[in-house]
Amino acid sequence: MKLKYLLPIAFIALFFSCSTDNDDNTTIVNEVEGLELIQTIVNGNETIELYNEKGMFETGYNMISLRIKDNTTDSYIEDATLSWMPMMQMPTMEHSSPKSTISKALGKDTVYEGFIIYQMTNTDGSGWSLTLNYNIDGTDYSVTETISVMQYENQNTASFMGSDGTKYILALIEPKDPSIAVNEMKVGLFKMENMMTFPVVEDYTIALDPRMPGMGNHTSPNNTDLTYNNADNFYYGDLSLTMTGYWKLNLKLMNTDDDVLKGEDVTDENEASSLYLELEF
Ligand SMILES: [Cu+2]
């Protein structure tokens, strides 16, 4: 037997001989592996940990994982219920943003998750706070902390007024890692009912026309318009990317009567829609 086969066996033998010496056979699983810590918020006996893939909040769609640590026992709470309220303080008013509920992450004991879509921020990342409400064993707790939200380099979210007089927020969710292929495009569409409430908009249609402005504004074949999926409340379509570089995803939003609420066709005379998202890879 060659050494390279023998070595792993030696390691496995060593590992098992060590673990049998140990009375405590519980394997310590890192439930936030692959995630980066954004911030911790201390509130009395609890410390709340916020994580995502980048370790920072950015404008647009943010998938966020949370854990609550009991500071006395140094262990994570497994049966809490949580809710949150992001808030942006502006010179003349304050407003919230589209967000999901918070639920236990699938297959995890200590991790909760949800999303927040920050539709704007100040250039230095300031302006936002996050209130976390949680219940542990029948007792309610609440904490509010300042957070930083950095401006993402491309337009991955759009806030606009529709021709129906309603304010909407659109956010790009997928593709996260675009490739030269037909990519699944996923967006969230919300309406601004008031400063605090941003319900999902159902059953509209979002027409898609991706273009490369740097290359004669060419498009790509086999794109499809985005339609609403009532299983997860997001919109899905096919986004065809034929080369790497900067793409402008020109969009047109239509309501259930097919009235155009925002956006225009791209033509020889009109190089872009007033409603668009951007992508670069
Ligand atoms: Cu604002």
Side-chain angles (χ1 to χ4, degrees), residues 88-90 93 95 119-121 128:
M88 187 186 193
Q89 189 65 52
M90 300 196 56
M93 52 96 169
H95 65 84
Q119 65 272 46
M120 60 189 301
T121 192
W128 287 93

Side-chain angles (χ1 to χ4, degrees), residues 217-234:
N217 220 27
H218 75 78
T219 182
S220 56
N222 305 319
N223 294 288
T224 64
D225 294 345
L226 288 85
T227 53
Y228 183 69
N229 180 337
N230 59 16
D232 66 1
N233 303 332
F234 294 115

Side-chain angles (χ1 to χ4, degrees), residues 61-93:
Y61 175 88
N62 288 250
M63 189 71 202
I64 302 159
S65 298
L66 308 93
R67 289 199 299 189
I68 306 177
K69 193 167 77 179
D70 181 323
N71 295 334
T72 308
T73 60
D74 213 33
S75 61
Y76 290 98
I77 312 282
E78 298 189 5
D79 53 1
T81 52
L82 297 97
S83 66
W84 50 14
M85 183 60 94
M87 198 68 78
M88 187 186 193
Q89 189 65 52
M90 300 196 56
T92 55
M93 52 96 169

Side-chain angles (χ1 to χ4, degrees), residues 59-61 95-99 115-120 128 156-162 166-173 187-195 197-201 206 234-235 251 253 275 277:
T59 48
Y61 175 88
H95 65 84
S96 186
S97 69
K99 63 182 189 327
F115 69 80
I116 297 176
I117 293 166
Y118 302 108
Q119 65 272 46
M120 60 189 301
W128 287 93
N156 60 4
T157 180
S159 305
F160 57 92
M161 176 77 80
T166 301
K167 273 189 161 176
Y168 294 94
I169 294 173
L170 186 72
L172 184 64
I173 302 169
V187 307
L189 178 65
F190 305 85
K191 88 176 173 195
M192 190 172 183
E193 201 166 271
N194 55 50
M195 293 296 177
T197 319
F198 300 76
V200 167
V201 177
I206 306 165
F234 294 115
Y235 286 77
L251 306 171
L253 178 64
L275 179 62
L277 296 167

